[in-house]
Amino acid sequence: GENVEQHPSTLSVQEGDSAVIKCTYSDSASNYFPWYKQELGKGPQLIIDIRSNVGEKKDQRIAVTLNKTAKHFSLHITETQPEDSAVYFCAASPRFGAGTRLTVKP
Amino acid sequence: DAGVIQSPRHEVTEMGQEVTLRCKPISGHDYLFWYRQTMMRGLELLIYFNNNVPIDDSGMPEDRFSAKMPNASFSTLKIQPSEPRDSAVYFCASSFTGVEGNTIYFGEGSWLTVV
């Protein structure tokens, strides 16, 4: 099955800085790449996704970029805020990466 | 819609006991997933169903685990007998038409502790 690798496992940034999380996948047939955010005590929730016919997608402070040739995609969060602190997962559905715990320090 | 509904939210049980986790997917969704989350192993896919039929159960850890989906609105994950290493958060999730291309909606999870 699909193998999804995500890094870093933890990331700490200062409020206002940018954060980047990277994900690689193994199945070249994959064509849908979502990112999920999990807050404490809750299930993961979709925050942004991208399909294989698009190289970049942006939604306010978050963006996802995709490199199909290299089989990797990244989540970019700009102007980070304390409420961005959470665990973030990439997925090559239905399999998920190991998660990145992001801490935004005020 | 109420979202994916899981029960129980929390369960503490003794080693050797049977545990049954229950899930009601979002109405109209045709895929249902069971995941297990631990600090060590992250979010593992255990099994998923399409139209009530199991498609991939390669993530089910061993024979002590079984999952059923008797109809489109209900699924169970059973552990018998339970062991302390089964302690984890178990998530049920559902999506509509297409494993690859559609949002997976998660329930709030069932927090299982086996002592």
Side-chain angles (χ1 to χ4, degrees), chain A residues 14-98:
Chain A
Q14 208 66 40
E15 182 177 359
D17 288 350
S18 295
V20 180
I21 304 169
K22 297 181 180 179
C23 199
T24 60
Y25 60 97
S26 60
D27 187 355
S28 55
S30 294
N31 59 11
Y32 175 67
F33 306 95
W35 285 92
Y36 290 75
K37 177 182 182 183
Q38 184 180 28
E39 296 178 339
L40 201 59
K42 301 199 169 185
Q45 282 194 303
L46 180 76
I47 55 171
I48 194 166
D49 57 12
I50 193 168
R51 295 182 191 272
S52 59
N53 56 347
V54 176
E56 181 175 1
K57 183 176 177 181
K58 200 170 181 181
D59 182 4
Q60 298 182 23
R61 295 186 300 106
I62 59 173
V64 55
T65 58
L66 171 66
N67 183 328
K68 276 223 84 177
T69 304
K71 291 192 280 188
H72 69 72
F73 58 111
S74 299
L75 176 70
H76 304 254
I77 307 174
T78 58
E79 299 171 32
T80 52
Q81 301 168 4
E83 52 265 38
D84 295 329
S85 296
V87 179
Y88 292 81
F89 292 95
C90 63
S93 291
R95 285 177 174 75
F96 284 70

Side-chain angles (χ1 to χ4, degrees), chain A residues 2 27 29-34 36 38 40-46 49 51 87 89 92-98 101, chain B residues 9 33 35 37 39 41-45 48 56 58-59 89 91 98-109 111:
Chain A
E2 175 74 89
D27 187 355
S30 294
N31 59 11
Y32 175 67
F33 306 95
Y36 290 75
Q38 184 180 28
L40 201 59
K42 301 199 169 185
Q45 282 194 303
L46 180 76
D49 57 12
R51 295 182 191 272
V87 179
F89 292 95
S93 291
R95 285 177 174 75
F96 284 70
R101 182 173 298 278
Chain B
R9 288 295 318 276
F33 310 86
Y35 291 88
Q37 186 173 30
M39 289 291 289
R41 301 174 74 92
L43 193 60
E44 297 176 273
L45 175 65
Y48 72 91
D56 183 350
S58 59
V89 184
F91 286 103
V99 172
E100 288 252 12
N102 291 284
T103 304
I104 295 177
Y105 294 86
F106 284 79
E108 298 275 271
W111 296 64

Side-chain angles (χ1 to χ4, degrees), chain B residues 22-34 49-54 67-76 92-94:
Chain B
R22 297 172 177 81
C23 177
K24 178 177 170 25
I26 293 172
S27 177
H29 282 192
D30 54 352
Y31 280 85
L32 183 138
F33 310 86
W34 282 100
F49 297 82
N50 176 220
N51 291 322
N52 314 337
V53 176
K68 293 182 179 178
M69 192 165 185
N71 58 63
S73 58
F74 184 66
S75 177
T76 59
C92 177
S94 68

